[in-house]
Amino acid sequence: MSEQVSRFGVTELEELPEDLRERVGVIAGKSGFVPNIFRALGRRPAELRAFLDYHDALMERSDGLSKAERELVVVATSGANHCTYCVVAHGAILRIRSKDPQLADRVSSNPWQVELDERGRAIVDLALALSQDSALFGEPDLAAARDAGLTEDEIWDVGAITALFAMSNRLAHLTALRPNDEFYGMGR
Amino acid sequence: MSEQVSRFGVTELEELPEDLRERVGVIAGKSGFVPNIFRALGRRPAELRAFLDYHDALMERSDGLSKAERELVVVATSGANHCTYCVVAHGAILRIRSKDPQLADRVSSNPWQVELDERGRAIVDLALALSQDSALFGEPDLAAARDAGLTEDEIWDVGAITALFAMSNRLAHLTALRPNDEFYGMGR
Amino acid sequence: MSEQVSRFGVTELEELPEDLRERVGVIAGKSGFVPNIFRALGRRPAELRAFLDYHDALMERSDGLSKAERELVVVATSGANHCTYCVVAHGAILRIRSKDPQLADRVSSNPWQVELDERGRAIVDLALALSQDSALFGEPDLAAARDAGLTEDEIWDVGAITALFAMSNRLAHLTALRPNDEFYGMGR
Amino acid sequence: MSEQVSRFGVTELEELPEDLRERVGVIAGKSGFVPNIFRALGRRPAELRAFLDYHDALMERSDGLSKAERELVVVATSGANHCTYCVVAHGAILRIRSKDPQLADRVSSNPWQVELDERGRAIVDLALALSQDSALFGEPDLAAARDAGLTEDEIWDVGAITALFAMSNRLAHLTALRPNDEFYGMGR
Amino acid sequence: MSEQVSRFGVTELEELPEDLRERVGVIAGKSGFVPNIFRALGRRPAELRAFLDYHDALMERSDGLSKAERELVVVATSGANHCTYCVVAHGAILRIRSKDPQLADRVSSNPWQVELDERGRAIVDLALALSQDSALFGEPDLAAARDAGLTEDEIWDVGAITALFAMSNRLAHLTALRPNDEFYGMGR
Amino acid sequence: MSEQVSRFGVTELEELPEDLRERVGVIAGKSGFVPNIFRALGRRPAELRAFLDYHDALMERSDGLSKAERELVVVATSGANHCTYCVVAHGAILRIRSKDPQLADRVSSNPWQVELDERGRAIVDLALALSQDSALFGEPDLAAARDAGLTEDEIWDVGAITALFAMSNRLAHLTALRPNDEFYGMGR
């Protein structure tokens, strides 16, 4: 089988504009490798820049959902969307952030029925409702989230992260994006 | 019926950080009103900023797809996703950019069968394949697009716009976003 | 793009049997044009006659649902069925009968979540239940309609109109029926 | 279990307006019983009249499809729509018209894969395409029918019968219509 | 049309290993014919043996569900799965065991809405939930079954029979298995 | 979160009838633990016995598909069915048998598009066709498998394993079966 990372080729760190080279360099420094999503999106620096900005605005936010909960939304919706890159890469991050080596595999294989505490369940239910059949998303979905104690800001977080990964999942499907080898074993 | 613009309230132009106030102000100046998506996303300036950057990177790009073709992707996928805000707002823009007062209604009501020329059909087919059942998106979809003469860069455009509006549609469903009254009649 | 009205050709007013020529002539007189559905079905006068009879029995009935509510059922189910002809033609009639220039676009783009008053919501929910996954239609759907105050006769109306347009939508898909230009702008 | 024929009650032969009493009486005379669909629709004579006219125009037509082929369309689409009344009642008629006591059970349980000759397969494929996901119905469906030798008039027949039973199936689901006992054993 | 029993040919009674010849012989003795499923699976004696063991363990069990209720589960899920062999063969057995000549046709054509008593409805609902969209199967499905009075052992029965026929239905679809002529008329 | 292994409790090795105790004991000896499926099914020894027989007849067969290919079928269809137990447990076995630590995660997250060689792709396509929408399974699915060089016996293997795990997946969903901790890390 081929080792192709993206159907549209990759742009290596040193080929990126300076601001992106620096920014992705910091991530690569921490992880020890450049996540393939950045190599694939590097083909279009303006889009990579906006992607990073959107990602950081939602995934690095300190208020509201915990970091692990943010990754829970990503892994649940990416599992439902059958997005291999996001399941493998964010599965790794979820293992690390949740300190639970099994959670990602259980969430991604069946987000609808994975056993979670009440708050986790409410987060995942809300995310799936918006991710999967979004034309039907409505007041009952919001009411269930509020009943489980989610604040308006937390609901926005769940919804906006779900929306961002509706995009990311499709970018990964578009490019047939290959997860970096390193992700598979992280946090196990 | 209520006149609510967004489930999470709105942020008016004058409440936005200066850079966004200026940027959205330019759009409002041209259109004669502030599109409601900006009033809804203004609640989170960092997210609105990234959204605008992503939007402009894809929708204002001068290479590849024409401006009308970019809107065609938006209206087709938003129709399939049953996103009222995007159908109404981008339907208006498509009417203007295509100089065809009927195209938007026909595309949004049935993107799968609307009569288009070969290139238009290929663009919409590619967009729907990635938008709707994205886990199945694969080489045959790309091959069909290439057969119709789309370049790699145009295929990326179609795919990336589809992905962006997979996100936008879900933000609109999350917020129950109401289209501005002005959009309904524009370009008819 | 072609200007084809129906895949199976059209029959003009003067080619119809006398009773139909007169009957469709009255409609054409009021609207200022012959709606394309009659030109398409004219190929088979006996079927056109039965279609008109069925249509009038349900859409011109004075008891029960208001005229606007009848069109609401048509636009909601035709939107869910992605029937361009019915969305455009009956969208026009709904705009006129509801005196609301936006309602049709909002109903047709997302009938599941369009904001309606309680009675309107109950009508549309009942119609969608029967239209979309009709094998599951059952007592809970009827109970919800009754709870919202619909009478047995009104429930029949909603159900029978939904059924009639399950047929009409398929006739329009069969013939790739093109809406008359006049419908697009009516009542805006 | 209840013996209820229709959720909305029934109208007996003698309660019908004279023209319908006579017309349904002829059918009852031939079958030996009044098919329940007429007892259920009798609640609204104008609708029953239009229904009978439409039904006769399509099911009793002498050109084009054979009588058995017309029933094949009905049983295939009613099976796919899980309509018990139409499967049982028209299954009986199909057994009689095809002189094949097994065909109806095989068609209704799996219309997609039931073994048929080439013409029968083309008829059922066309009917299912229009019945099930009608927004996707398009030129390839028509081309396949033409390749199997169906004329334009036969294609119209298949499409129009499919459309009529999209309506009938929903009327039966609306009323929870009970098949007459007699239908179950006819033609076996 | 062909008289093919299975896409992979059949193995007749006398070709089976002795234990299977005897065992299937007993069944054939009682029915008067060898059900085609055994002729098709005979190609792989070890699989036929395991199939018979599994089948008997669940369908001949004396505790818990009645024999008729076991067949109700089979016919309901096989109807939903559009499995002609199982609908026809187990429909016959259901007619005999329930002493109701109509029940099988009504259950198989629309298991979701067929009128049943409360216990029957609970059994069928549980079976359909596990059969159709099994990733969503969860506590609410079990709670509904318990509310209707099903014991844990009866719930296991319904679930395990549903699972067994998820397998059987696929074996029948794999082999395009033809029901024996005798089944069609049994118990009518 | 609970540590519940099965909704219906578990039966430990020493509580099983002697033949099963010995047979499952051998497996436990090799793996170092008793796979939870056996502890859950032990509640019904006759069913566990048939399950083991069926499993061995198909998964331990020496002709035809390789052992790794048999697990490929299991992981692909269990991924499509969102069955956590089977994805985790058979994912571990696939890692070991394929000597590829990444294959299971890639297959289970998106079996439709995972990159495989031609034979692997044909095996998975056949399995998914039968697993997912089995009413549509037909000659074109078989023809594609034969074109890729699969023999009739290999096609039977793929089909029968798919069928067996249509059952297993539902047993796991029924019992909310928890994968043993050991499976998560095996073969990585």
Side-chain angles (χ1 to χ4, degrees):
Chain A
M1 272 158 280
S2 89
E3 296 293 311
Q4 175 187 281
V5 167
S6 158
R7 278 188 183 116
F8 296 83
V10 294
T11 305
E12 300 302 351
L13 200 57
E14 55 277 15
E15 304 171 272
L16 288 174
E18 191 174 340
D19 67 312
L20 287 170
R21 192 163 65 232
E22 191 170 325
R23 193 164 175 183
V24 174
V26 171
I27 299 168
K30 279 195 224 164
S31 337
F33 60 95
V34 182
N36 284 337
I37 180 75
F38 304 128
R39 296 168 73 206
L41 294 187
R43 175 188 175 94
R44 296 265 185 103
E47 297 171 31
L48 172 54
R49 202 172 283 120
F51 182 86
L52 281 164
D53 288 346
Y54 222 128
H55 182 276
D56 292 354
L58 282 166
M59 301 307 286
E60 305 299 334
R61 204 162 180 269
S62 49
D63 293 354
L65 295 188
S66 74
K67 293 279 170 72
E69 286 168 344
R70 290 171 197 272
E71 295 298 329
L72 181 64
V73 172
V74 177
V75 174
T77 57
S78 298
N81 285 338
H82 301 287
C83 178
T84 300
Y85 182 85
C86 294
V87 162
V88 172
H90 287 271
I93 308 179
L94 178 58
R95 283 192 293 274
I96 291 169
R97 293 198 167 173
S98 69
K99 300 185 174 46
D100 179 340
Q102 299 179 1
L103 184 61
D105 287 354
R106 292 168 59 220
V107 168
S108 65
S109 57
N110 188 341
W112 297 276
Q113 290 298 329
V114 57
E115 200 191 7
L116 298 168
D117 62 19
E118 192 201 352
R119 179 176 161 91
R121 188 71 264 158
I123 288 172
V124 169
D125 283 348
L126 185 67
L128 292 170
L130 189 61
S131 168
Q132 291 314 97
D133 232 343
S134 64
L136 306 184
F137 186 86
E139 289 302 327
D141 300 302
L142 292 159
R146 287 182 193 121
D147 283 354
L150 296 191
T151 66
E152 294 304 283
D153 241 35
E154 289 173 336
I155 289 173
W156 180 286
D157 273 345
V158 173
I161 295 169
T162 296
L164 179 65
F165 280 84
M167 178 173 75
S168 301
N169 289 175
R170 281 164 183 81
L171 291 172
H173 286 310
L174 172 69
T175 57
L177 192 61
R178 188 184 179 84
N180 303 62
D181 292 348
E182 291 86 346
F183 282 128
Y184 288 87
M186 279 168 61
R188 290 195 179 274
Chain B
M1 272 157 278
S2 88
E3 298 293 311
Q4 176 187 277
V5 166
S6 159
R7 277 188 182 115
F8 296 83
V10 294
T11 304
E12 300 301 351
L13 200 58
E14 57 276 13
E15 302 172 273
L16 289 173
E18 191 174 340
D19 66 311
L20 288 170
R21 192 164 62 234
E22 192 170 326
R23 193 165 175 182
V24 174
V26 171
I27 299 167
K30 278 196 226 165
S31 340
F33 60 95
V34 183
N36 284 337
I37 181 74
F38 304 128
R39 297 168 73 205
L41 294 186
R43 176 189 173 95
R44 296 265 184 103
E47 296 171 31
L48 173 54
R49 202 172 283 120
F51 181 86
L52 281 164
D53 288 344
Y54 222 129
H55 182 277
D56 292 355
L58 282 165
M59 302 307 285
E60 306 298 333
R61 204 162 180 270
S62 48
D63 294 354
L65 295 187
S66 73
K67 293 280 170 71
E69 285 168 343
R70 290 171 197 272
E71 295 298 328
L72 181 64
V73 171
V74 177
V75 174
T77 57
S78 298
N81 284 339
H82 301 287
C83 178
T84 300
Y85 182 84
C86 294
V87 162
V88 173
H90 287 271
I93 309 179
L94 178 57
R95 283 192 293 273
I96 292 170
R97 293 199 168 173
S98 69
K99 299 187 175 43
D100 178 341
Q102 299 180 0
L103 184 61
D105 287 354
R106 293 167 59 219
V107 168
S108 66
S109 58
N110 188 341
W112 297 277
Q113 291 298 330
V114 57
E115 199 191 6
L116 298 168
D117 62 20
E118 193 200 351
R119 181 176 160 90
R121 188 70 263 158
I123 288 171
V124 169
D125 282 347
L126 185 67
L128 291 170
L130 189 60
S131 169
Q132 292 313 96
D133 231 342
S134 63
L136 306 185
F137 186 86
E139 290 301 328
D141 300 303
L142 291 160
R146 286 182 194 122
D147 284 353
L150 295 192
T151 67
E152 293 306 282
D153 241 35
E154 288 173 336
I155 289 173
W156 180 287
D157 273 345
V158 173
I161 295 169
T162 296
L164 178 65
F165 281 84
M167 178 172 74
S168 301
N169 289 174
R170 281 163 182 81
L171 290 172
H173 286 310
L174 172 68
T175 56
L177 191 61
R178 187 184 180 84
N180 303 62
D181 293 347
E182 291 85 347
F183 282 128
Y184 288 87
M186 280 170 60
R188 291 196 180 273
Chain C
M1 273 159 278
S2 87
E3 296 294 310
Q4 177 187 278
V5 166
S6 159
R7 278 188 183 116
F8 296 82
V10 294
T11 304
E12 300 302 350
L13 201 57
E14 56 275 14
E15 304 171 274
L16 289 173
E18 191 174 341
D19 66 313
L20 288 170
R21 191 164 63 232
E22 190 170 327
R23 194 166 175 182
V24 174
V26 171
I27 298 168
K30 278 196 227 166
S31 338
F33 59 95
V34 182
N36 284 336
I37 180 75
F38 304 127
R39 297 168 73 206
L41 293 186
R43 175 187 174 96
R44 297 265 185 103
E47 296 171 32
L48 172 54
R49 203 173 282 119
F51 181 86
L52 280 165
D53 288 344
Y54 222 128
H55 182 277
D56 291 355
L58 281 166
M59 302 307 286
E60 306 299 334
R61 204 163 180 269
S62 49
D63 293 354
L65 295 188
S66 73
K67 294 276 171 71
E69 285 168 345
R70 290 170 198 272
E71 295 298 328
L72 181 65
V73 172
V74 177
V75 174
T77 58
S78 299
N81 285 338
H82 301 287
C83 178
T84 300
Y85 182 85
C86 294
V87 162
V88 173
H90 287 270
I93 309 178
L94 178 57
R95 283 192 293 273
I96 291 169
R97 293 198 167 172
S98 69
K99 299 187 175 43
D100 178 340
Q102 298 180 1
L103 184 61
D105 287 353
R106 293 167 60 219
V107 168
S108 66
S109 58
N110 187 341
W112 298 275
Q113 290 298 330
V114 58
E115 200 190 7
L116 298 167
D117 62 19
E118 192 200 352
R119 181 176 160 89
R121 187 72 262 159
I123 288 171
V124 169
D125 283 348
L126 185 67
L128 291 171
L130 189 61
S131 168
Q132 292 313 98
D133 232 342
S134 63
L136 307 183
F137 186 86
E139 289 301 328
D141 299 303
L142 291 159
R146 288 181 194 121
D147 284 354
L150 295 191
T151 66
E152 294 305 282
D153 241 35
E154 288 172 337
I155 289 174
W156 180 286
D157 273 345
V158 173
I161 295 169
T162 296
L164 178 64
F165 280 84
M167 178 173 74
S168 301
N169 290 174
R170 281 163 183 82
L171 291 172
H173 286 311
L174 172 69
T175 56
L177 192 60
R178 188 183 181 85
N180 303 61
D181 293 347
E182 291 85 348
F183 282 128
Y184 288 88
M186 279 168 61
R188 291 197 179 272
Chain D
M1 272 159 281
S2 89
E3 297 294 312
Q4 176 188 279
V5 166
S6 158
R7 279 188 181 115
F8 296 82
V10 294
T11 304
E12 301 302 350
L13 200 57
E14 57 276 15
E15 303 171 273
L16 287 174
E18 192 174 340
D19 66 313
L20 288 170
R21 191 164 64 233
E22 191 170 325
R23 192 166 176 183
V24 174
V26 171
I27 299 168
K30 278 195 225 165
S31 340
F33 60 95
V34 182
N36 284 336
I37 181 74
F38 305 127
R39 297 168 73 206
L41 294 186
R43 175 188 175 94
R44 296 265 185 103
E47 297 171 30
L48 172 54
R49 202 172 282 119
F51 181 86
L52 280 164
D53 288 344
Y54 222 129
H55 182 276
D56 292 354
L58 281 166
M59 301 307 285
E60 305 299 334
R61 203 162 182 269
S62 49
D63 294 353
L65 295 187
S66 74
K67 293 279 170 71
E69 285 168 343
R70 291 171 197 272
E71 294 299 327
L72 182 64
V73 172
V74 177
V75 174
T77 57
S78 298
N81 285 339
H82 301 287
C83 179
T84 299
Y85 182 85
C86 294
V87 161
V88 172
H90 288 270
I93 308 177
L94 178 58
R95 283 192 293 274
I96 291 169
R97 295 199 165 171
S98 69
K99 300 186 175 45
D100 178 340
Q102 299 180 0
L103 184 61
D105 287 354
R106 293 168 60 221
V107 168
S108 66
S109 58
N110 188 341
W112 298 276
Q113 290 297 330
V114 58
E115 200 190 7
L116 298 167
D117 63 19
E118 193 200 352
R119 181 176 161 90
R121 188 71 263 158
I123 288 171
V124 169
D125 283 347
L126 185 67
L128 291 171
L130 189 61
S131 169
Q132 292 313 98
D133 232 342
S134 63
L136 306 185
F137 186 86
E139 290 300 328
D141 299 303
L142 291 160
R146 288 182 193 123
D147 284 353
L150 295 191
T151 65
E152 294 305 283
D153 241 36
E154 289 173 336
I155 290 174
W156 180 286
D157 272 345
V158 174
I161 295 169
T162 296
L164 179 65
F165 280 84
M167 178 172 75
S168 300
N169 290 174
R170 282 164 182 82
L171 290 172
H173 286 309
L174 172 68
T175 56
L177 192 61
R178 188 182 180 86
N180 303 61
D181 292 348
E182 291 85 346
F183 283 127
Y184 288 87
M186 279 169 61
R188 290 193 180 275
Chain E
M1 274 158 279
S2 90
E3 296 294 309
Q4 175 187 280
V5 167
S6 158
R7 278 188 182 115
F8 297 82
V10 294
T11 304
E12 301 301 351
L13 201 57
E14 56 276 15
E15 304 171 273
L16 288 173
E18 191 173 342
D19 67 312
L20 288 169
R21 192 164 63 231
E22 191 170 326
R23 193 166 175 182
V24 174
V26 172
I27 298 168
K30 278 196 227 166
S31 337
F33 60 95
V34 183
N36 285 337
I37 180 76
F38 304 127
R39 297 168 72 207
L41 293 187
R43 175 187 174 95
R44 297 266 185 100
E47 296 171 32
L48 172 54
R49 203 172 283 120
F51 182 86
L52 281 164
D53 288 345
Y54 222 128
H55 181 277
D56 292 354
L58 281 166
M59 301 308 285
E60 306 298 335
R61 204 162 180 269
S62 49
D63 293 354
L65 294 188
S66 73
K67 294 279 171 70
E69 285 168 344
R70 290 171 198 272
E71 295 298 329
L72 181 64
V73 171
V74 177
V75 174
T77 58
S78 299
N81 285 339
H82 301 286
C83 179
T84 300
Y85 182 85
C86 295
V87 162
V88 172
H90 287 271
I93 309 178
L94 178 56
R95 282 193 293 273
I96 292 169
R97 294 198 167 172
S98 69
K99 299 186 174 45
D100 179 339
Q102 298 180 0
L103 184 61
D105 287 353
R106 292 167 60 220
V107 168
S108 65
S109 58
N110 188 342
W112 297 276
Q113 290 297 330
V114 58
E115 199 190 8
L116 298 167
D117 63 17
E118 192 201 352
R119 181 176 160 90
R121 187 72 261 157
I123 288 171
V124 170
D125 283 347
L126 186 66
L128 291 171
L130 189 60
S131 169
Q132 291 314 98
D133 232 342
S134 63
L136 306 184
F137 186 86
E139 290 301 327
D141 300 303
L142 292 159
R146 288 183 192 120
D147 284 353
L150 296 191
T151 67
E152 294 304 283
D153 241 35
E154 289 173 336
I155 289 173
W156 179 287
D157 273 345
V158 174
I161 295 169
T162 296
L164 178 65
F165 280 85
M167 179 172 75
S168 300
N169 290 174
R170 281 164 184 81
L171 290 172
H173 286 310
L174 173 68
T175 56
L177 192 61
R178 188 182 180 85
N180 303 61
D181 292 348
E182 292 85 347
F183 282 127
Y184 287 88
M186 280 169 60
R188 292 199 178 271
Chain F
M1 274 160 280
S2 90
E3 298 293 310
Q4 177 188 280
V5 166
S6 159
R7 278 188 181 116
F8 296 82
V10 294
T11 304
E12 300 302 350
L13 201 57
E14 56 276 14
E15 302 171 274
L16 288 173
E18 191 173 341
D19 66 314
L20 288 170
R21 191 165 62 235
E22 191 170 326
R23 192 166 176 183
V24 174
V26 171
I27 299 167
K30 278 195 224 164
S31 339
F33 60 96
V34 183
N36 284 337
I37 181 75
F38 305 128
R39 299 167 72 206
L41 294 186
R43 174 189 175 94
R44 297 265 184 103
E47 296 171 31
L48 173 54
R49 203 172 283 119
F51 181 86
L52 280 165
D53 289 344
Y54 223 129
H55 182 276
D56 292 354
L58 282 166
M59 302 306 286
E60 306 298 334
R61 202 161 182 270
S62 48
D63 294 352
L65 294 188
S66 73
K67 293 279 171 71
E69 286 168 343
R70 290 171 198 273
E71 295 298 328
L72 182 64
V73 172
V74 177
V75 174
T77 56
S78 298
N81 284 340
H82 301 287
C83 179
T84 300
Y85 182 84
C86 294
V87 162
V88 173
H90 287 271
I93 308 179
L94 178 57
R95 283 192 293 273
I96 292 169
R97 294 198 167 173
S98 69
K99 299 186 174 46
D100 178 340
Q102 298 179 0
L103 184 61
D105 287 354
R106 292 167 59 220
V107 168
S108 66
S109 58
N110 188 341
W112 298 275
Q113 290 297 330
V114 56
E115 199 190 8
L116 298 167
D117 62 18
E118 192 200 352
R119 181 176 160 91
R121 187 72 263 159
I123 289 170
V124 169
D125 283 347
L126 185 67
L128 291 170
L130 190 60
S131 167
Q132 291 314 97
D133 231 343
S134 63
L136 306 184
F137 186 86
E139 290 300 329
D141 300 302
L142 291 160
R146 288 181 194 124
D147 284 353
L150 296 191
T151 66
E152 294 304 283
D153 241 35
E154 289 173 336
I155 289 174
W156 179 286
D157 273 345
V158 174
I161 296 170
T162 297
L164 179 64
F165 280 84
M167 178 173 74
S168 301
N169 290 174
R170 280 164 183 81
L171 291 172
H173 287 310
L174 173 68
T175 56
L177 192 61
R178 187 184 180 85
N180 304 62
D181 292 348
E182 291 86 346
F183 282 127
Y184 288 88
M186 279 169 61
R188 291 197 179 274

